[in-house]
Amino acid sequence: METGIEMSKLYETEIIKKLPKVFKNRYKSPTKTESKQISSYELECIDRLMEKSWSEITASFLEDNCCINFLSSDNFKYFLPAIVNVSIRENKVYLLAIEIVIMMLDRPADTKNWDDDFVSKWLGLELGEYRLIQDWLFWLCDAREEDTLSILRCIETIELLILETENLK
């Protein structure tokens, strides 16, 4: 019989193994950002990020160049697995990039109040991508000692995104 820790490690391993397969169709876009009000520092961070593939990103690099919310929608989707990857591989559950993802996803269940930036970044992921993000959020919920209600709302938002994406088809 496996312990909770052993099960958690198996779960982590499964998420990490699935990342490249699930996000294999995501590519960097030449449009680095869609933000109209962005500082030169944030642009420099985006440039440094764009020099790497998502699998090359480390937690320290991500913390020094945390501009995930300023990326274009395609580049956001491309670099999203980097956050999952470093949080699990390096056991970093309180990165600024994670907090940004949580702030983006922690919203009321009313889809009418979704802003354009949120919709462009989150709507239209593939079902496997949504499910993997949900798995990661469940892992994150277990790995953190607080914010569980916020993370559970994020998981519910992913369910709404899945429904909205299916309605687009």
Side-chain angles (χ1 to χ4, degrees):
M1 187 79 170
E2 293 170 336
T3 67
I5 293 171
E6 290 167 337
M7 290 300 290
S8 178
K9 289 291 179 198
L10 284 172
Y11 197 55
E12 291 172 10
T13 303
E14 283 302 307
I15 293 171
I16 293 295
K17 275 181 21 183
K18 287 179 183 177
L19 272 174
K21 294 175 191 157
V22 170
F23 284 88
K24 72 178 183 253
N25 294 324
R26 295 288 168 193
Y27 300 96
K28 289 186 223 176
S29 167
T31 305
K32 295 178 186 179
T33 185
E34 293 150 354
S35 181
K36 303 292 183 235
Q37 296 181 343
I38 189 166
S39 72
S40 58
Y41 171 76
E42 290 154 344
L43 281 172
E44 290 169 9
C45 289
I46 290 172
D47 287 339
R48 286 190 294 273
L49 190 63
M50 294 297 290
E51 291 173 1
K52 298 196 176 278
S53 72
W54 71 258
S55 60
E56 295 175 305
I57 305 294
T58 63
S60 62
F61 181 87
L62 195 56
E63 281 296 279
D64 292 341
N65 298 282
C66 190
C67 54
I68 192 92
N69 50 324
F70 295 109
L71 291 172
S72 67
S73 57
D74 286 338
N75 287 324
F76 173 81
K77 291 169 185 166
Y78 173 81
F79 283 106
L80 191 55
I83 300 168
V84 175
N85 191 41
V86 299
S87 63
I88 294 174
R89 283 192 190 275
E90 298 182 39
N91 196 30
K92 302 285 186 182
V93 297
Y94 293 101
L95 294 170
L96 179 57
I98 294 171
E99 300 308 317
I100 290 169
V101 168
I102 290 171
M103 287 184 338
M104 292 170 104
L105 289 172
D106 184 4
R107 45 186 63 232
D110 185 4
T111 59
K112 292 178 183 127
N113 292 327
W114 288 359
D115 59 87
D116 292 342
D117 187 58
F118 175 78
V119 169
S120 73
K121 284 183 170 58
W122 287 99
L123 194 62
L125 289 171
E126 297 294 324
L127 180 60
E129 293 168 328
Y130 282 130
R131 292 294 182 218
L132 192 96
I133 297 300
Q134 278 184 318
D135 288 346
W136 171 68
L137 288 166
F138 279 117
W139 172 83
L140 193 61
C141 202
D142 286 342
R144 292 172 73 149
E145 295 178 9
E146 65 277 328
D147 298 332
T148 54
L149 289 176
S150 179
I151 295 170
L152 291 173
R153 281 191 301 271
C154 293
I155 293 166
E156 290 174 2
T157 299
I158 296 287
E159 281 300 319
L160 290 172
L161 284 161
I162 291 169
L163 291 173
E164 289 296 311
T165 297
E166 288 173 357
N167 288 337
L168 291 175
K169 294 179 180 177

